[in-house]
Amino acid sequence: MPPRTVVIGVDSSTQSTKAAVIDAVTGELLAVGRAPHVVTGEGGARESDPEVWWRALCDAVASGLKESGLSASSVTGVAVAGQQHGLVVLDRSGRPLRPALLWNDTRSAPQAAALTGALGGPEAWVARTGTVPVASMTASKWQWLRENDPANAEAAAAVRLPHDFLTERLAGTAATDPGDASGTCWYATGTRAYDPELLGLLELDEALLPPVADTGATRIGSLTATAAEALGLPAGIAVAAGTGDNMSAAVGLGLGGAGLLDHPVLSLGTSGTVFAASRARPASTALSGFAAADGTYLPLACTLNCTLAVDKVATLLGLHRDDAVPGGEAVLLPFLDGERTPDLPTSSGLLTGLRHDTTPQQLLGAAYEGAAFTVLRALDELSRACGLDPADPVVAARPLRLIGGGALGRTWVETVRRLSGRPLIVPGSGELVARGAAALAASAAGGGDPVAVAARWSAGAEDAELPPVERDTESWERIGSVLDRAAEPLLGG
């Protein structure tokens, strides 16, 4: 029997790093190493030390390899998928000048609004980048840094995204990919290159940015001796360009040019996202018109408040997260960290519709409903971005793939099912972001198209398929009415 060959896919998220050790031939998940991150900040601030990410990556890889029981010599490639949009500024030695500004840091909301106006409004940005600046976007964070920490902005010898920073540590080569670059608002999805006019607007020298590889699976170098020693892996193995976490999840699901197109996915994690891989270039001010890791596009809507916000409400009520029941007349919009979709960066949570007979369990259910509604509402716009008519019964009946930590929760699943009225598929393959990164690594090591690789790996997975239930239009309309009426006077919209 020939020796087993494996690849390692790294999921460097907001809260932790996971390193999946995956059989390069069969796609079998052999082990997952884990290590936590530290997020700091009060109010709208959310920051992390990038060196913590690197140490967590080293620890997670070592842990995963040990758990697998395999020799390090069996590893042929590695790739990183990272949290999107974070701003990392480095000195000339490649060390962080300050903590990274994370995707959910909302302090740059004024800068986002100013940038939107400076180019002529939302439509002008969509035409260039596919995306309107909001506080989450890297361009807005760069502007915030220039205005609020000018010394470090001026001292920056390199500007990176979180996954770029880690990939450069692995290969000793600066690189990014079209997928993660498309979340910066200084990369043009039409020309697939940095936009000189936008860089001028931002007063950002292109020399500070990493070159953009053709795809997330492009081999941008080999593991350096220094990184190999830190990770306990062989020097010289393939390092892929890697990508953003949402793009990697799409690869892990087999979405893309060599797999499923225009099939919607709902991810329930710290953030809530809805996305689909498409050949149509997105053009909607309501969505982020990202590029995918494989050369297609990834129209996406993202909310800031999802599982953590609902868990916080459960804690405040002294309930277990699955103690919830439908909210009844109560509406709870759990915008505890401001909100990105809709663009309400300074908003806070809102509760209305209380009665004498309202129970704590209903309040928790209302929090689930508010969080799920916010991301589900973008589904119709997502369909249109893919060139589909959301009113077409065939489109409306297309299954919604449910992923992320929330997909493992009974109440999350039933809330999405009830509010969407759509059939759900909960994929049997776990660790989709890390799995997608592993497929990128396998491709960089000579394994072929990464989406085809991931689709082949997951061919035998046992997906859970749930038929549709009657849509709860009463709750849907009640939540929508509250959100629309409250946005400007109460939520800061």
Side-chain angles (χ1 to χ4, degrees):
M1 183 176 179
R4 191 191 289 263
T5 60
V6 300
V7 287
I8 294 178
V10 176
D11 172 8
S12 180
S13 69
T14 313
Q15 304 292 334
S16 67
T17 291
K18 290 180 278 190
V21 181
I22 291 181
D23 187 298
V25 177
T26 67
E28 181 185 356
L29 179 61
L30 303 173
V32 181
R34 294 174 171 82
H37 295 170
V38 177
V39 178
T40 61
E42 297 178 351
R46 294 293 185 274
E47 299 183 344
S48 285
D49 179 359
E51 295 291 352
V52 171
W53 302 336
W54 173 247
R55 291 193 293 271
L57 189 157
C58 294
D59 291 345
V61 168
S63 174
L65 195 59
K66 181 178 180 181
E67 181 185 331
S68 75
L70 296 172
S71 166
S73 62
S74 63
V75 181
T76 60
V78 61
V80 176
Q83 54 178 306
Q84 288 189 252
H85 310 310
L87 177 67
V88 182
V89 288
L90 307 176
D91 64 18
R92 295 188 182 280
S93 65
R95 301 293 176 183
L97 288 165
R98 68 179 315 282
L101 302 176
L102 304 185
W103 61 275
N104 53 351
D105 189 312
T106 59
R107 289 175 293 176
S108 54
Q111 287 74 25
L115 284 173
T116 300
L119 196 66
E123 290 77 11
W125 281 94
V126 167
R128 301 289 281 271
T129 72
T131 302
V132 181
V134 293
S136 298
M137 299 300 165
T138 324
S140 306
K141 299 182 187 307
W142 173 251
Q143 289 293 84
W144 183 91
L145 191 73
R146 291 180 59 226
E147 295 174 16
N148 293 275
D149 190 359
N152 279 322
E154 181 67 27
V159 174
R160 301 288 186 262
L161 296 166
H163 114 262
D164 303 344
F165 168 76
L166 294 170
T167 301
E168 192 169 0
R169 282 285 176 92
L170 294 173
T173 302
T176 191
D177 86 300
D180 215 5
S182 67
T184 60
C185 276
W186 57 61
Y187 174 88
T189 53
T191 61
R192 295 189 177 272
Y194 295 127
D195 188 309
E197 182 179 345
L198 297 181
L199 293 177
L201 179 66
L202 296 164
E203 297 186 30
L204 178 59
D205 186 349
E206 185 172 345
L208 299 181
L209 302 177
V212 184
D214 289 340
T215 73
T218 301
R219 180 170 182 163
I220 55 94
S222 301
L223 192 67
T224 68
T226 300
E229 182 178 1
L231 273 68
L233 296 179
I237 64 172
V239 178
T243 192
D245 52 4
N246 290 300
M247 293 79 193
S248 189
V251 173
L253 285 164
L255 273 59
L260 295 170
L261 288 168
D262 306 327
H263 283 245
V265 176
L266 178 63
S267 177
L268 300 169
T270 303
S271 62
T273 58
V274 59
F275 61 84
S278 177
R279 292 198 187 279
R281 181 171 178 262
S284 169
T285 57
L287 300 172
S288 295
F290 295 145
D294 73 332
T296 57
Y297 294 97
L298 198 76
L300 178 149
C302 178
T303 67
L304 296 184
N305 300 275
C306 196
T307 57
L308 289 184
V310 172
D311 284 351
K312 178 63 175 180
V313 173
T315 299
L316 290 173
L317 294 170
L319 297 175
H320 184 274
R321 59 168 63 97
D322 280 329
D323 288 339
V325 299
E329 292 185 56
V331 173
L332 203 169
L333 302 176
F335 298 167
L336 308 187
D337 288 316
E339 192 44 78
R340 169 175 167 179
T341 303
D343 184 20
L344 300 167
T346 62
S347 64
S348 57
L350 176 68
L351 172 62
T352 186
L354 288 178
R355 299 292 184 185
H356 280 289
D357 59 355
T358 302
T359 68
Q361 290 77 12
Q362 286 178 311
L363 292 183
L364 181 55
Y368 275 98
E369 292 168 353
F373 173 90
T374 308
V375 65
L376 281 170
R377 202 184 208 193
L379 262 181
D380 286 351
E381 194 66 27
L382 179 75
S383 294
R384 283 187 282 268
C386 294
L388 304 173
D389 179 3
D392 183 338
V394 175
V395 174
R398 183 166 285 176
L400 182 61
R401 283 166 169 77
L402 197 63
I403 67 171
L408 304 176
R410 172 182 56 81
T411 305
W412 275 113
V413 171
E414 291 307 313
T415 302
V416 170
R417 197 177 178 200
R418 177 166 54 85
L419 290 182
S420 70
R422 299 176 74 130
L424 300 185
I425 294 176
V426 181
S429 301
E431 303 297 349
L432 287 166
V433 173
R435 181 175 290 274
L440 298 177
S443 181
D449 183 282
V451 172
V453 168
R456 184 180 73 244
W457 285 352
S458 62
E462 295 185 2
D463 298 342
E465 300 186 19
L466 303 175
V469 297
E470 183 178 358
R471 190 176 190 185
D472 184 354
T473 55
E474 182 179 350
S475 294
W476 180 270
E477 291 171 359
R478 181 173 58 253
I479 299 166
S481 175
V482 169
L483 177 55
D484 292 341
R485 287 184 290 113
E488 186 169 350
L490 294 178
L491 294 170

